[in-house]
Amino acid sequence: MKKLLYGCLLAALLPISGALAQSANHVTIYVVDLEKCADFYKNVMQLEVIPEPFHDNRHVWFRTGPHTQLHVVKGAREVTSHDINIHMAFTVPSVEDFMRHLKALHVRFGNWAQTREEPEIRPDGVKQIYLQDPEGYWIEVNDDRF
């Protein structure tokens, strides 16, 4: 009886769990200096500012794709260290053009190890570079064509 009940419970949960496996719609970062970070994402990353519902001078939202957003929220007490393994990734038409843009703005970038200011090629052929926003969040920029 327990096995049958467990099987029915599991079968009842499967459709719910499948329904929850949707695509992401936003990522939020928590920052100390909202103005500096918003300027970075608008001018360095060239993201479009979009309306946000709070209107409290603590939120700036950006479009990152057709149905995805980056929410930058003020309120962190201090800037903390972030590991490069935890990063956001953005695709651009040309990594070289984006590198020229970063150089013109004097924004540091490099390979994964941050040992040279040039892209590296992943095993799947995607070219990528890494940089950090003003509060140390890591960002990968690549030319993926998935």
Side-chain angles (χ1 to χ4, degrees), residues 2-141:
K2 275 187 177 178
K3 283 184 180 180
L4 180 59
L5 181 58
Y6 176 75
C8 291
L9 180 60
L10 185 60
L13 290 176
L14 285 176
I16 293 171
S17 110
L20 295 176
Q22 301 294 316
S23 62
N25 65 21
H26 75 271
V27 171
T28 300
I29 59 172
Y30 201 43
V31 301
V32 173
D33 190 333
L34 180 64
E35 186 175 312
K36 191 173 186 179
C37 289
D39 180 72
F40 174 88
Y41 285 100
K42 180 180 178 186
N43 297 307
V44 175
M45 295 306 298
Q46 302 176 314
L47 299 178
E48 172 193 357
V49 176
I50 58 174
E52 52 85 8
F54 300 100
H55 310 291
D56 60 2
N57 298 316
R58 290 188 58 237
H59 298 80
V60 179
W61 288 9
F62 296 91
R63 180 165 321 289
T64 56
H67 303 288
T68 57
Q69 304 168 356
L70 170 64
H71 298 175
V72 182
V73 179
K74 179 180 180 175
R77 289 193 171 103
E78 63 184 348
V79 175
T80 58
S81 176
H82 301 278
D83 190 285
I84 195 169
N85 284 292
I86 301 171
H87 60 269
M88 294 178 276
F90 296 92
T91 297
V92 296
S94 167
V95 171
E96 289 78 9
D97 289 347
F98 195 76
M99 289 170 28
R100 281 191 282 283
H101 166 71
L102 294 175
K103 287 178 182 180
L105 296 174
H106 307 288
V107 175
R108 269 189 75 232
F109 65 90
N111 61 343
W112 175 269
Q114 296 295 291
T115 56
R116 57 189 196 280
E117 196 174 81
E118 61 185 54
E120 67 186 346
I121 309 298
R122 294 190 326 212
D124 60 358
V126 172
K127 193 180 301 181
Q128 63 188 15
I129 59 171
Y130 290 86
L131 63 144
Q132 288 181 286
D133 78 2
E135 301 216 358
Y137 287 99
W138 283 99
I139 300 165
E140 173 187 332
V141 177

